[in-house]
Amino acid sequence: MYLSVNNVGKSFPRHGEEPLKALETINLPINQGEFISLLGPSGCGKSTLLSIMAGLTEPSSGSVSLENERITEPGPDKSMVFQEPALFPWMSVKENVTFPLRKKLRKKEQESAVAHFLQMVHLSQFAENYPHELSGGMQQRVAIARALAMDSGLLLMDEPFGALDEQTRQVLQDEVEKIWQETKKTIVFVTHSIREAIKLSDRIIIMSARPGTIISDFKVDLERPRQQKDMALLEEDVMAILKKEIESVMKEELQHAGSH
Ligand code: ADP
Ligand code: MG
């Protein structure tokens, strides 16, 4: 197994209260080259799970391994795109994308790699600009180019298009799908858009409300590029699972409130 999440649980300590249980017994095997989406109600631990996969957060129980090695820290074998484009504001677009390569490649190689990835996200003309001179969508494309420049086999993306308008979102979805097909990376992608998950994923992992557990592992067996009419049918199925989960949470909350 390429990436293996084994019995992962995560609790956060809380002042003067029981610890907050964010994740419980997560088991998730991921094959090399798969495109996996995580869907679930807000607060169910999607970002926490991604952060554990990135080696940025330590699980409270269980473990995650990448190519049979336990993940304990961030490293060049995995790269992350955060929901908010996390760029260095004092560096130009080119310098931002070069940053992860500075120790890895020689000057000449760096330049050609950066040019390649900036072209991939259609930002070649903005290489010398600074982040504040770019729109949110362009900044996110720089963040994606930087993550791609790391050339790690595992790409973790946390609602990367969440803050973008629909049109930019669609363009970037197409770009990411193309890049994924060209580079054969493994992608774990958090989204709250069912449509986006269906358009991009080989598998959709649906999580329960807190503490997050996996309630469905949904295979998307549609040819790519995916057609609207094929996607619409699946959308209803995924929606039904999510709706049931959200309704049961609301019911529980109502009962809980009623018992007080
Ligand atoms: P999602 O990404 O699915 O919206 P998160 O993983 O961000 O959910 O959060 C899951 C739960 O864990 C939330 O209740 C959140 O408040 C809590 N949480 C996340 N990170 C921390 C942290 N560093 N410290 C304390 N609580 C946290
Ligand atoms: Mg999140």
Side-chain angles (χ1 to χ4, degrees), residues 125-136:
Q125 287 164 353
F126 295 88
E128 306 301 335
N129 288 77
Y130 284 81
H132 76 270
E133 296 170 314
L134 309 179
S135 70

Side-chain angles (χ1 to χ4, degrees), residues 55-182:
L56 294 166
T57 299
E58 206 186 332
S60 311
S61 55
S63 64
V64 182
S65 53
L66 182 60
E67 297 191 294
N68 298 319
E69 280 207 31
R70 194 180 175 128
I71 295 175
T72 54
E73 55 185 9
D77 49 353
K78 42 201 180 293
S79 49
M80 178 119 165
V81 178
F82 297 91
Q83 182 165 1
E84 300 293 329
L87 302 176
F88 300 119
W90 63 88
M91 289 186 187
S92 69
V93 164
K94 194 166 132 188
E95 287 163 344
N96 265 285
V97 180
T98 308
F99 190 74
L101 304 175
R102 69 200 185 286
K103 287 183 189 150
K104 233 169 62 175
L105 299 179
R106 270 179 258 211
K107 198 103 194 141
K108 258 267 157 40
E109 295 167 325
Q110 283 180 18
E111 294 209 344
S112 72
V114 169
H116 171 72
F117 289 110
L118 284 181
Q119 194 189 357
M120 224 177 206
V121 296
H122 306 298
L123 281 177
S124 306
Q125 287 164 353
F126 295 88
E128 306 301 335
N129 288 77
Y130 284 81
H132 76 270
E133 296 170 314
L134 309 179
S135 70
M138 290 159 84
Q139 290 182 26
Q140 194 57 295
R141 274 147 61 193
V142 178
I144 291 168
R146 189 179 56 185
L148 291 170
M150 280 179 71
D151 200 24
S152 46
L154 178 62
L155 183 55
L156 305 164
M157 306 180 91
D158 194 357
E159 301 196 33
F161 313 144
L164 307 179
D165 62 90
E166 190 52 35
Q167 230 173 336
T168 310
R169 193 183 180 115
Q170 278 178 23
V171 171
L172 285 187
Q173 283 171 357
D174 292 342
E175 283 178 18
V176 164
E177 187 178 29
K178 208 168 110 215
I179 289 164
W180 169 74
Q181 285 173 325
E182 282 169 4

